Amino acid sequence: MFAGYIYASYVFTFGALVGLIVVSFVGLRAARQRLAALQAGGDSDESGSDGAL
Amino acid sequence: MLERLENLSALYANPRRFMRLAARLHMPLWLVALAVLGGGLFMVAGVPDDYQQGATVRIMFVHVPAAWMALFAYSFIFFASVLAMVLRHPLGYLAARAAAPVGAVFTLIALVTGALWGQPMWGTWWVWDARLTSVLVLFFVYLGYIALWEAIDDYGRAARATSILAFVGFVNVPIVKFSVDWWNTLHQPASVSRFGRPALHADFLYPLLVMGLAFLFVFLAVTLTRMQTEVLRQRLRVRQEEA
């Protein structure tokens, strides 16, 4: 009789949790990539200036 | 320059030891969280109908653990802020900031599943009683805390301002917990944590406790993931400032 309320509760709960988990992992991956890109850029800058010297 | 960079990163995050530890803990923590969650759901599937509430009692197994986590996460933010402001622990601000969206999501789950439970049992989605209203206030405090972090560009100022908000907002935590004892509310009083024997039958109590443990592991796993992200963002900020 009240199955709709029960299903809606579980769907909302796990939808929200999965969304949170996905956003957290996407954020972690993006931060890793940005840091790696910055480090790679810094390394190439340094090697470039070394080369110039 | 390298020494200065190290000093700066140590000042803000002392990341190396934490990141090494987090890298080791990350996957096992997620596996434990998923295993306990699977076990909890398996137990919930075998729970009998309640003699009064019928099958709707199953909403309790997501609603109550989410409400526990809403309070736990805010307490975590409070103690992390104390650690950062009073003891100058470098990871305190990062931990508090990482936990805030997790706590907000658990609070939202508690509110929505509470409404979905309230409609068939009470005949209303919402009532302005002390428990429901104080949890709604908690949700707004979470949103305010997250917004304040985003609103202030200077990291140090943002950290101090959000910590003060965390301290002020913590007043609401005992209000949420004891609201059902202090005021006449439509919401039922505590069933599990009351002194003496819990009011729940073992058929309901053990699945509820396992689901509570599962939500705790999910909170810890997501917060650890977000803390790693915060440490990396902190490194990015330091490097960009140095550049």
Side-chain angles (χ1 to χ4, degrees):
Chain A
M1 183 180 173
F2 298 123
Y5 296 102
I6 301 166
Y7 288 130
S9 294
Y10 279 80
V11 166
F12 182 82
T13 299
F14 288 99
L17 287 181
V18 168
L20 176 71
I21 291 165
V22 168
V23 166
S24 300
F25 273 101
V26 167
L28 179 61
R29 206 176 78 171
R32 275 182 182 150
Q33 283 173 345
R34 281 171 60 199
L35 192 63
L38 199 71
Q39 280 170 336
D43 290 347
S44 66
D45 284 352
E46 278 171 25
S47 61
S49 56
D50 284 350
L53 283 169
Chain B
M1 181 186 160
L2 190 66
E3 193 183 327
R4 207 175 148 201
L5 195 71
E6 279 174 357
N7 286 343
L8 263 172
S9 60
L11 176 71
Y12 282 114
N14 187 20
R16 285 162 201 222
R17 229 182 298 170
F18 168 76
M19 289 301 266
R20 272 203 299 269
L21 182 70
R24 269 191 220 148
L25 281 177
H26 196 240
M27 195 48 72
L29 194 57
W30 273 109
L31 290 175
V32 169
L34 292 176
V36 179
L37 192 60
L41 287 172
F42 181 75
M43 288 174 84
V44 170
V47 164
D49 287 358
D50 181 67
Y51 80 103
Q52 279 182 318
Q53 301 191 30
T56 53
V57 75
R58 284 179 178 80
I59 297 174
M60 175 177 73
F61 300 105
V62 286
H63 171 73
V64 174
W68 286 343
M69 281 305 109
L71 291 179
F72 180 83
Y74 200 86
S75 304
F76 180 93
I77 291 169
F78 173 79
F79 287 111
S81 302
V82 169
L83 218 63
M85 274 198 104
V86 180
L87 301 175
R88 304 281 172 198
H89 192 285
L91 288 173
Y93 294 128
L94 298 176
R97 188 178 190 180
V102 192
V105 167
F106 276 119
T107 311
L108 184 65
I109 290 170
L111 286 167
V112 171
T113 56
L116 286 163
W117 199 9
Q119 174 60 22
M121 290 300 103
W122 297 341
T124 181
W125 300 98
W126 182 262
V127 60
W128 292 100
D129 86 348
R131 169 59 69 85
L132 277 70
T133 308
S134 56
V135 174
L136 184 64
V137 169
L138 180 67
F139 181 62
F140 289 141
V141 172
Y142 271 120
L143 294 187
Y145 181 88
I146 295 165
L148 198 54
W149 265 115
E150 299 301 324
I152 303 172
D153 286 334
D154 180 72
Y155 184 85
R157 280 183 57 217
R160 280 189 296 278
T162 51
S163 295
I164 291 165
L165 178 61
F167 296 154
V168 174
F170 190 66
V171 172
N172 191 40
V173 170
I175 294 175
V176 173
K177 174 77 184 92
F178 297 109
S179 55
V180 287
D181 302 319
W182 293 343
W183 292 286
N184 262 330
T185 59
L186 188 58
H187 194 284
Q188 67 177 64
S191 306
V192 176
S193 61
R194 70 180 197 177
F195 292 108
R197 291 185 60 188
L200 282 173
H201 188 273
D203 284 352
F204 301 110
L205 181 63
Y206 294 127
L208 181 62
L209 293 177
V210 173
M211 285 299 284
L213 197 64
F215 276 30
L216 175 65
F217 277 117
V218 170
F219 167 79
L220 293 174
V222 178
T223 303
L224 186 71
T225 304
R226 299 185 70 91
M227 276 182 76
Q228 288 174 288
T229 310
E230 289 300 326
V231 170
L232 294 177
R233 281 185 185 155
Q234 196 62 263
R235 283 182 182 170
L236 267 169
R237 258 190 295 272
V238 170
R239 280 174 188 264
Q240 280 165 347
E241 279 169 17
E242 286 289 314

